Amino acid sequence: SRTSSGRNWLWVIGISKYAHWRPLPNPVTDAKAVRDVLLEQYRFDRKYLIEMYDKQATRENIIKKFEQLVRELLPSDNLFIYFAGHGVFDNAIDVGYWIPSEAAIGSSAVLLALGAPRVLVPLIVIPLCSLNVVGTALFLIYCRKHYPSASN
């Protein structure tokens, strides 16, 4: 939907089935549950909904979508990203990673780093119990009005 401050985009990524990592029982189910709550109870519109599940959520597809959104988002828009799936955190370099569906175990070549504060900033998390989601969730938001140029 469009608020006085712009459009609210919702990008939901859920990966239960991995090519090389152990499968997870809940990510796709949880991602769809969060999607439904945000569409029904918060100001999100299906017109600005992006979904990627299992094999769709490759590193290449996720990066392409980020690149497309950087070009498409208006300065007043908001982007809410929900990712459910495997992730790792490297304490040595203080960077967290999403594990895309095709990632090989032990290879950092296909991991998606989350250590870019000019692109992603934390959002106040909606309590998971209110969304009927079990486990841990990662909520991120991109506010172009705070970061007007990806090249800066």
Side-chain angles (χ1 to χ4, degrees), residues 5-56:
S5 61
R7 301 172 294 180
N8 290 324
W9 291 78
L10 173 58
W11 184 4
V12 177
I13 304 168
I15 310 171
S16 293
K17 298 174 185 173
Y18 282 84
H20 305 287
W21 291 68
R22 70 176 168 77
L24 297 170
N26 298 319
V28 171
T29 303
D30 289 351
K32 290 179 179 181
V34 168
R35 172 205 63 198
D36 292 344
V37 169
L38 293 173
L39 289 172
E40 294 167 13
Q41 297 181 21
Y42 296 86
R43 298 174 69 149
F44 291 91
D45 187 324
R46 285 192 182 276
K47 181 176 180 182
Y48 305 111
L49 171 65
I50 303 155
E51 298 176 272
M52 289 184 180
Y53 302 111
D54 290 331
K55 288 183 180 181
Q56 298 168 326

Short mmCIF file of all heavy atoms in Angstrom, two decimals, residues 5-56:
data_model
loop_
_atom_site.label_atom_id
_atom_site.label_comp_id
_atom_site.label_asym_id
_atom_site.label_seq_id
_atom_site.Cartn_x
_atom_site.Cartn_y
_atom_site.Cartn_z
N SER A 5 4.21 8.33 3.46
CA SER A 5 5.65 8.33 3.29
C SER A 5 6.12 7.43 2.15
O SER A 5 7.30 7.22 1.96
CB SER A 5 6.33 7.91 4.59
OG SER A 5 5.93 6.61 4.94
N GLY A 6 5.21 6.86 1.38
CA GLY A 6 5.61 6.04 0.24
C GLY A 6 4.97 4.66 0.25
O GLY A 6 4.05 4.38 1.01
N ARG A 7 5.49 3.81 -0.61
CA ARG A 7 4.97 2.45 -0.75
C ARG A 7 5.68 1.53 0.23
O ARG A 7 6.88 1.67 0.47
CB ARG A 7 5.18 1.94 -2.17
CG ARG A 7 4.51 2.82 -3.22
CD ARG A 7 4.91 2.42 -4.61
NE ARG A 7 6.34 2.68 -4.81
CZ ARG A 7 6.99 2.44 -5.94
NH1 ARG A 7 6.35 1.94 -6.98
NH2 ARG A 7 8.27 2.70 -6.05
N ASN A 8 4.94 0.58 0.76
CA ASN A 8 5.51 -0.42 1.65
C ASN A 8 5.70 -1.72 0.89
O ASN A 8 4.74 -2.41 0.58
CB ASN A 8 4.60 -0.65 2.87
CG ASN A 8 4.59 0.54 3.79
OD1 ASN A 8 5.60 1.20 3.97
ND2 ASN A 8 3.45 0.82 4.37
N TRP A 9 6.94 -2.03 0.59
CA TRP A 9 7.30 -3.25 -0.12
C TRP A 9 7.54 -4.36 0.89
O TRP A 9 8.10 -4.12 1.96
CB TRP A 9 8.57 -3.03 -0.92
CG TRP A 9 8.40 -2.10 -2.09
CD1 TRP A 9 8.34 -0.74 -2.05
CD2 TRP A 9 8.30 -2.47 -3.45
NE1 TRP A 9 8.20 -0.24 -3.33
CE2 TRP A 9 8.18 -1.29 -4.20
CE3 TRP A 9 8.31 -3.70 -4.12
CZ2 TRP A 9 8.07 -1.28 -5.58
CZ3 TRP A 9 8.21 -3.69 -5.50
CH2 TRP A 9 8.08 -2.48 -6.22
N LEU A 10 7.16 -5.57 0.54
CA LEU A 10 7.37 -6.74 1.39
C LEU A 10 8.08 -7.80 0.56
O LEU A 10 7.57 -8.22 -0.48
CB LEU A 10 6.04 -7.27 1.91
CG LEU A 10 6.07 -8.59 2.68
CD1 LEU A 10 6.97 -8.49 3.90
CD2 LEU A 10 4.64 -8.98 3.09
N TRP A 11 9.25 -8.23 1.02
CA TRP A 11 10.02 -9.28 0.35
C TRP A 11 10.18 -10.42 1.34
O TRP A 11 10.79 -10.27 2.39
CB TRP A 11 11.37 -8.73 -0.08
CG TRP A 11 12.22 -9.67 -0.87
CD1 TRP A 11 11.91 -10.92 -1.31
CD2 TRP A 11 13.55 -9.43 -1.30
NE1 TRP A 11 12.95 -11.47 -2.01
CE2 TRP A 11 13.98 -10.57 -2.01
CE3 TRP A 11 14.42 -8.37 -1.16
CZ2 TRP A 11 15.25 -10.67 -2.56
CZ3 TRP A 11 15.67 -8.46 -1.72
CH2 TRP A 11 16.08 -9.59 -2.43
N VAL A 12 9.60 -11.56 0.99
CA VAL A 12 9.60 -12.74 1.86
C VAL A 12 10.45 -13.83 1.21
O VAL A 12 10.22 -14.20 0.06
CB VAL A 12 8.15 -13.24 2.08
CG1 VAL A 12 8.14 -14.49 2.92
CG2 VAL A 12 7.30 -12.16 2.71
N ILE A 13 11.43 -14.32 1.97
CA ILE A 13 12.30 -15.40 1.51
C ILE A 13 12.22 -16.54 2.53
O ILE A 13 12.46 -16.31 3.72
CB ILE A 13 13.77 -14.93 1.38
CG1 ILE A 13 13.88 -13.71 0.46
CG2 ILE A 13 14.65 -16.08 0.90
CD1 ILE A 13 15.22 -13.02 0.50
N GLY A 14 11.86 -17.72 2.07
CA GLY A 14 11.81 -18.89 2.94
C GLY A 14 12.48 -20.07 2.27
O GLY A 14 12.13 -20.43 1.14
N ILE A 15 13.47 -20.64 2.93
CA ILE A 15 14.19 -21.78 2.36
C ILE A 15 14.15 -22.94 3.34
O ILE A 15 14.79 -22.90 4.39
CB ILE A 15 15.65 -21.44 2.02
CG1 ILE A 15 15.73 -20.15 1.19
CG2 ILE A 15 16.30 -22.61 1.28
CD1 ILE A 15 17.15 -19.63 1.01
N SER A 16 13.39 -23.97 2.99
CA SER A 16 13.34 -25.20 3.79
C SER A 16 14.21 -26.28 3.17
O SER A 16 14.79 -27.10 3.88
CB SER A 16 11.90 -25.72 3.88
OG SER A 16 11.11 -24.83 4.64
N LYS A 17 14.30 -26.29 1.85
CA LYS A 17 15.05 -27.33 1.13
C LYS A 17 16.31 -26.73 0.52
O LYS A 17 16.23 -25.81 -0.29
CB LYS A 17 14.18 -27.94 0.03
CG LYS A 17 12.94 -28.62 0.56
CD LYS A 17 12.05 -29.09 -0.57
CE LYS A 17 10.75 -29.66 -0.01
NZ LYS A 17 9.79 -29.97 -1.07
N TYR A 18 17.44 -27.29 0.92
CA TYR A 18 18.75 -26.83 0.44
C TYR A 18 19.39 -27.91 -0.41
O TYR A 18 19.15 -29.10 -0.20
CB TYR A 18 19.66 -26.52 1.64
CG TYR A 18 19.36 -25.20 2.29
CD1 TYR A 18 18.34 -25.09 3.23
CD2 TYR A 18 20.07 -24.07 1.95
CE1 TYR A 18 18.05 -23.88 3.83
CE2 TYR A 18 19.79 -22.85 2.55
CZ TYR A 18 18.79 -22.75 3.48
OH TYR A 18 18.50 -21.55 4.06
N ALA A 19 20.25 -27.50 -1.33
CA ALA A 19 20.98 -28.46 -2.16
C ALA A 19 22.02 -29.23 -1.34
O ALA A 19 22.24 -30.42 -1.57
CB ALA A 19 21.65 -27.74 -3.32
N HIS A 20 22.66 -28.55 -0.37
CA HIS A 20 23.76 -29.18 0.36
C HIS A 20 23.62 -29.13 1.88
O HIS A 20 24.31 -29.86 2.57
CB HIS A 20 25.09 -28.52 -0.04
CG HIS A 20 25.33 -28.54 -1.52
ND1 HIS A 20 25.66 -29.69 -2.20
CD2 HIS A 20 25.24 -27.56 -2.45
CE1 HIS A 20 25.79 -29.41 -3.49
NE2 HIS A 20 25.54 -28.13 -3.66
N TRP A 21 22.79 -28.26 2.39
CA TRP A 21 22.60 -28.14 3.84
C TRP A 21 21.42 -29.01 4.25
O TRP A 21 20.55 -29.31 3.43
CB TRP A 21 22.33 -26.69 4.21
CG TRP A 21 23.53 -25.79 4.04
CD1 TRP A 21 24.12 -25.43 2.87
CD2 TRP A 21 24.26 -25.15 5.07
NE1 TRP A 21 25.18 -24.60 3.10
CE2 TRP A 21 25.28 -24.40 4.45
CE3 TRP A 21 24.15 -25.12 6.46
CZ2 TRP A 21 26.20 -23.64 5.18
CZ3 TRP A 21 25.05 -24.35 7.18
CH2 TRP A 21 26.07 -23.64 6.54
N ARG A 22 21.35 -29.33 5.53
CA ARG A 22 20.23 -30.13 6.00
C ARG A 22 18.93 -29.35 5.82
O ARG A 22 18.91 -28.12 5.97
CB ARG A 22 20.41 -30.56 7.45
CG ARG A 22 20.31 -29.46 8.46
CD ARG A 22 20.40 -29.97 9.89
NE ARG A 22 20.58 -28.90 10.83
CZ ARG A 22 19.61 -28.07 11.23
NH1 ARG A 22 18.39 -28.21 10.77
NH2 ARG A 22 19.87 -27.11 12.08
N PRO A 23 17.86 -30.03 5.48
CA PRO A 23 16.58 -29.33 5.32
C PRO A 23 16.08 -28.81 6.67
O PRO A 23 16.43 -29.35 7.72
CB PRO A 23 15.64 -30.41 4.76
CG PRO A 23 16.30 -31.70 5.06
CD PRO A 23 17.76 -31.46 5.21
N LEU A 24 15.28 -27.78 6.60
CA LEU A 24 14.66 -27.20 7.79
C LEU A 24 13.14 -27.36 7.68
O LEU A 24 12.58 -27.16 6.60
CB LEU A 24 15.02 -25.72 7.91
CG LEU A 24 16.51 -25.41 8.10
CD1 LEU A 24 16.76 -23.92 7.95
CD2 LEU A 24 16.98 -25.90 9.46
N PRO A 25 12.46 -27.69 8.76
CA PRO A 25 11.03 -27.99 8.65
C PRO A 25 10.11 -26.78 8.51
O PRO A 25 9.03 -26.90 7.95
CB PRO A 25 10.73 -28.73 9.96
CG PRO A 25 11.75 -28.24 10.92
CD PRO A 25 12.99 -27.97 10.10
N ASN A 26 10.53 -25.59 8.98
CA ASN A 26 9.56 -24.50 9.09
C ASN A 26 9.75 -23.25 8.24
O ASN A 26 8.82 -22.45 8.16
CB ASN A 26 9.49 -24.05 10.56
CG ASN A 26 9.00 -25.15 11.45
OD1 ASN A 26 8.08 -25.88 11.11
ND2 ASN A 26 9.63 -25.29 12.61
N PRO A 27 10.89 -22.98 7.63
CA PRO A 27 11.06 -21.68 6.99
C PRO A 27 10.00 -21.27 5.97
O PRO A 27 9.53 -20.14 6.01
CB PRO A 27 12.45 -21.77 6.35
CG PRO A 27 13.19 -22.66 7.27
CD PRO A 27 12.18 -23.71 7.65
N VAL A 28 9.62 -22.13 5.05
CA VAL A 28 8.63 -21.74 4.05
C VAL A 28 7.28 -21.50 4.72
O VAL A 28 6.61 -20.48 4.45
CB VAL A 28 8.53 -22.78 2.92
CG1 VAL A 28 7.34 -22.48 2.01
CG2 VAL A 28 9.82 -22.80 2.10
N THR A 29 6.90 -22.38 5.62
CA THR A 29 5.63 -22.21 6.35
C THR A 29 5.64 -20.91 7.15
O THR A 29 4.67 -20.14 7.13
CB THR A 29 5.40 -23.41 7.29
OG1 THR A 29 5.43 -24.60 6.52
CG2 THR A 29 4.08 -23.29 8.02
N ASP A 30 6.75 -20.65 7.86
CA ASP A 30 6.86 -19.43 8.65
C ASP A 30 6.82 -18.19 7.77
O ASP A 30 6.16 -17.19 8.09
CB ASP A 30 8.14 -19.43 9.47
CG ASP A 30 8.12 -20.43 10.62
OD1 ASP A 30 7.05 -21.02 10.90
OD2 ASP A 30 9.18 -20.62 11.25
N ALA A 31 7.56 -18.23 6.66
CA ALA A 31 7.60 -17.07 5.76
C ALA A 31 6.21 -16.74 5.23
O ALA A 31 5.81 -15.58 5.17
CB ALA A 31 8.57 -17.33 4.61
N LYS A 32 5.46 -17.77 4.87
CA LYS A 32 4.10 -17.54 4.37
C LYS A 32 3.16 -17.04 5.47
O LYS A 32 2.29 -16.21 5.22
CB LYS A 32 3.55 -18.81 3.72
CG LYS A 32 4.26 -19.11 2.40
CD LYS A 32 3.74 -20.38 1.75
CE LYS A 32 4.46 -20.64 0.42
NZ LYS A 32 3.97 -21.85 -0.25
N ALA A 33 3.37 -17.51 6.69
CA ALA A 33 2.56 -17.03 7.83
C ALA A 33 2.84 -15.56 8.10
O ALA A 33 1.91 -14.77 8.32
CB ALA A 33 2.84 -17.88 9.07
N VAL A 34 4.11 -15.18 8.08
CA VAL A 34 4.47 -13.78 8.30
C VAL A 34 3.92 -12.93 7.16
O VAL A 34 3.34 -11.85 7.39
CB VAL A 34 6.01 -13.62 8.41
CG1 VAL A 34 6.42 -12.15 8.35
CG2 VAL A 34 6.50 -14.26 9.70
N ARG A 35 4.04 -13.41 5.93
CA ARG A 35 3.49 -12.70 4.77
C ARG A 35 2.00 -12.43 4.97
O ARG A 35 1.53 -11.30 4.79
CB ARG A 35 3.71 -13.54 3.51
CG ARG A 35 3.00 -13.00 2.27
CD ARG A 35 2.72 -14.07 1.25
NE ARG A 35 1.80 -15.08 1.78
CZ ARG A 35 1.63 -16.29 1.25
NH1 ARG A 35 2.32 -16.67 0.20
NH2 ARG A 35 0.76 -17.13 1.78
N ASP A 36 1.26 -13.47 5.35
CA ASP A 36 -0.19 -13.33 5.52
C ASP A 36 -0.55 -12.31 6.60
O ASP A 36 -1.44 -11.49 6.41
CB ASP A 36 -0.82 -14.69 5.82
CG ASP A 36 -0.74 -15.65 4.65
OD1 ASP A 36 -0.48 -15.19 3.51
OD2 ASP A 36 -0.94 -16.86 4.87
N VAL A 37 0.16 -12.35 7.71
CA VAL A 37 -0.11 -11.39 8.80
C VAL A 37 0.19 -9.98 8.34
O VAL A 37 -0.59 -9.05 8.58
CB VAL A 37 0.68 -11.76 10.07
CG1 VAL A 37 0.61 -10.63 11.10
CG2 VAL A 37 0.15 -13.05 10.67
N LEU A 38 1.32 -9.78 7.68
CA LEU A 38 1.69 -8.43 7.24
C LEU A 38 0.73 -7.89 6.19
O LEU A 38 0.41 -6.70 6.17
CB LEU A 38 3.13 -8.40 6.75
CG LEU A 38 4.18 -8.65 7.84
CD1 LEU A 38 5.57 -8.78 7.23
CD2 LEU A 38 4.16 -7.54 8.88
N LEU A 39 0.25 -8.76 5.31
CA LEU A 39 -0.71 -8.32 4.30
C LEU A 39 -2.08 -8.03 4.91
O LEU A 39 -2.74 -7.07 4.52
CB LEU A 39 -0.85 -9.39 3.20
CG LEU A 39 0.33 -9.56 2.26
CD1 LEU A 39 0.12 -10.78 1.36
CD2 LEU A 39 0.57 -8.31 1.43
N GLU A 40 -2.48 -8.84 5.87
CA GLU A 40 -3.82 -8.70 6.43
C GLU A 40 -3.92 -7.67 7.56
O GLU A 40 -4.94 -7.00 7.69
CB GLU A 40 -4.30 -10.06 6.96
CG GLU A 40 -4.52 -11.09 5.85
CD GLU A 40 -4.68 -12.51 6.37
OE1 GLU A 40 -4.87 -12.70 7.60
OE2 GLU A 40 -4.59 -13.45 5.55
N GLN A 41 -2.87 -7.53 8.37
CA GLN A 41 -2.97 -6.70 9.56
C GLN A 41 -2.12 -5.44 9.52
O GLN A 41 -2.27 -4.57 10.38
CB GLN A 41 -2.61 -7.53 10.79
CG GLN A 41 -3.56 -8.68 11.02
CD GLN A 41 -3.20 -9.49 12.25
OE1 GLN A 41 -2.52 -9.02 13.14
NE2 GLN A 41 -3.69 -10.72 12.29
N TYR A 42 -1.21 -5.36 8.56
CA TYR A 42 -0.35 -4.19 8.46
C TYR A 42 -0.52 -3.59 7.08
O TYR A 42 -1.25 -4.09 6.26
CB TYR A 42 1.11 -4.58 8.76
CG TYR A 42 1.27 -5.06 10.19
CD1 TYR A 42 1.05 -6.39 10.53
CD2 TYR A 42 1.59 -4.18 11.20
CE1 TYR A 42 1.15 -6.83 11.85
CE2 TYR A 42 1.70 -4.60 12.51
CZ TYR A 42 1.49 -5.92 12.83
OH TYR A 42 1.59 -6.35 14.13
N ARG A 43 0.13 -2.51 6.80
CA ARG A 43 -0.13 -1.76 5.57
C ARG A 43 0.73 -2.22 4.41
O ARG A 43 1.48 -1.44 3.83
CB ARG A 43 0.06 -0.29 5.86
CG ARG A 43 -0.92 0.21 6.92
CD ARG A 43 -0.64 1.60 7.30
NE ARG A 43 -0.95 2.47 6.18
CZ ARG A 43 -1.38 3.70 6.29
NH1 ARG A 43 -1.57 4.22 7.46
NH2 ARG A 43 -1.62 4.41 5.22
N PHE A 44 0.58 -3.48 4.05
CA PHE A 44 1.28 -4.02 2.89
C PHE A 44 0.26 -4.45 1.86
O PHE A 44 -0.83 -4.88 2.20
CB PHE A 44 2.17 -5.22 3.29
CG PHE A 44 3.34 -4.81 4.14
CD1 PHE A 44 3.24 -4.78 5.51
CD2 PHE A 44 4.54 -4.41 3.55
CE1 PHE A 44 4.31 -4.38 6.30
CE2 PHE A 44 5.62 -4.02 4.32
CZ PHE A 44 5.49 -4.01 5.70
N ASP A 45 0.62 -4.31 0.60
CA ASP A 45 -0.26 -4.61 -0.53
C ASP A 45 0.41 -5.67 -1.39
O ASP A 45 1.62 -5.61 -1.61
CB ASP A 45 -0.47 -3.32 -1.33
CG ASP A 45 -1.49 -3.45 -2.43
OD1 ASP A 45 -1.57 -4.51 -3.06
OD2 ASP A 45 -2.19 -2.45 -2.68
N ARG A 46 -0.36 -6.63 -1.89
CA ARG A 46 0.19 -7.69 -2.75
C ARG A 46 0.90 -7.12 -3.98
O ARG A 46 1.78 -7.75 -4.55
CB ARG A 46 -0.90 -8.66 -3.18
CG ARG A 46 -1.31 -9.60 -2.08
CD ARG A 46 -2.16 -10.74 -2.60
NE ARG A 46 -2.56 -11.59 -1.50
CZ ARG A 46 -1.81 -12.57 -1.01
NH1 ARG A 46 -0.64 -12.83 -1.54
NH2 ARG A 46 -2.23 -13.30 0.00
N LYS A 47 0.53 -5.92 -4.39
CA LYS A 47 1.16 -5.29 -5.55
C LYS A 47 2.66 -5.08 -5.31
O LYS A 47 3.44 -5.07 -6.25
CB LYS A 47 0.47 -3.94 -5.81
CG LYS A 47 1.00 -3.20 -7.00
CD LYS A 47 0.20 -1.94 -7.24
CE LYS A 47 0.74 -1.17 -8.44
NZ LYS A 47 0.00 0.08 -8.64
N TYR A 48 3.05 -4.92 -4.05
CA TYR A 48 4.45 -4.67 -3.70
C TYR A 48 5.03 -5.85 -2.91
O TYR A 48 5.89 -5.68 -2.06
CB TYR A 48 4.58 -3.37 -2.91
CG TYR A 48 3.97 -2.21 -3.65
CD1 TYR A 48 2.81 -1.60 -3.19
CD2 TYR A 48 4.53 -1.75 -4.84
CE1 TYR A 48 2.23 -0.55 -3.89
CE2 TYR A 48 3.96 -0.71 -5.54
CZ TYR A 48 2.81 -0.11 -5.06
OH TYR A 48 2.24 0.92 -5.75
N LEU A 49 4.56 -7.05 -3.22
CA LEU A 49 5.00 -8.27 -2.56
C LEU A 49 5.95 -9.04 -3.48
O LEU A 49 5.66 -9.26 -4.65
CB LEU A 49 3.79 -9.15 -2.24
CG LEU A 49 4.07 -10.57 -1.74
CD1 LEU A 49 4.79 -10.54 -0.39
CD2 LEU A 49 2.76 -11.35 -1.64
N ILE A 50 7.07 -9.46 -2.91
CA ILE A 50 8.05 -10.30 -3.61
C ILE A 50 8.22 -11.55 -2.77
O ILE A 50 8.43 -11.46 -1.55
CB ILE A 50 9.41 -9.58 -3.74
CG1 ILE A 50 9.23 -8.23 -4.47
CG2 ILE A 50 10.42 -10.47 -4.45
CD1 ILE A 50 10.29 -7.23 -4.13
N GLU A 51 8.13 -12.72 -3.41
CA GLU A 51 8.27 -13.97 -2.69
C GLU A 51 9.32 -14.85 -3.37
O GLU A 51 9.34 -14.94 -4.59
CB GLU A 51 6.95 -14.74 -2.65
CG GLU A 51 5.84 -13.99 -1.92
CD GLU A 51 4.53 -14.74 -1.98
OE1 GLU A 51 3.78 -14.52 -2.97
OE2 GLU A 51 4.27 -15.54 -1.07
N MET A 52 10.15 -15.48 -2.56
CA MET A 52 11.12 -16.46 -3.04
C MET A 52 11.12 -17.62 -2.06
O MET A 52 11.33 -17.41 -0.86
CB MET A 52 12.53 -15.87 -3.12
CG MET A 52 12.74 -14.88 -4.20
SD MET A 52 14.48 -14.35 -4.21
CE MET A 52 14.43 -13.20 -5.56
N TYR A 53 10.90 -18.81 -2.57
CA TYR A 53 10.88 -20.00 -1.73
C TYR A 53 11.79 -21.07 -2.32
O TYR A 53 11.85 -21.26 -3.53
CB TYR A 53 9.46 -20.55 -1.58
CG TYR A 53 8.51 -19.53 -0.99
CD1 TYR A 53 7.50 -18.97 -1.77
CD2 TYR A 53 8.63 -19.11 0.32
CE1 TYR A 53 6.63 -18.02 -1.23
CE2 TYR A 53 7.78 -18.16 0.86
CZ TYR A 53 6.78 -17.62 0.08
OH TYR A 53 5.94 -16.69 0.61
N ASP A 54 12.49 -21.77 -1.43
CA ASP A 54 13.34 -22.91 -1.76
C ASP A 54 14.22 -22.62 -2.98
O ASP A 54 15.04 -21.71 -2.94
CB ASP A 54 12.51 -24.18 -1.91
CG ASP A 54 11.97 -24.66 -0.56
OD1 ASP A 54 12.62 -24.39 0.47
OD2 ASP A 54 10.90 -25.28 -0.53
N LYS A 55 14.08 -23.38 -4.07
CA LYS A 55 14.99 -23.27 -5.23
C LYS A 55 15.00 -21.89 -5.88
O LYS A 55 15.94 -21.54 -6.58
CB LYS A 55 14.65 -24.33 -6.27
CG LYS A 55 15.03 -25.73 -5.85
CD LYS A 55 14.74 -26.73 -6.95
CE LYS A 55 15.12 -28.13 -6.50
NZ LYS A 55 14.87 -29.13 -7.55
N GLN A 56 13.96 -21.10 -5.67
CA GLN A 56 13.92 -19.74 -6.23
C GLN A 56 14.94 -18.83 -5.52
O GLN A 56 15.40 -17.85 -6.09
CB GLN A 56 12.54 -19.12 -6.05
CG GLN A 56 11.43 -19.84 -6.75
CD GLN A 56 10.07 -19.32 -6.28
OE1 GLN A 56 9.89 -18.95 -5.13
NE2 GLN A 56 9.11 -19.31 -7.20
#
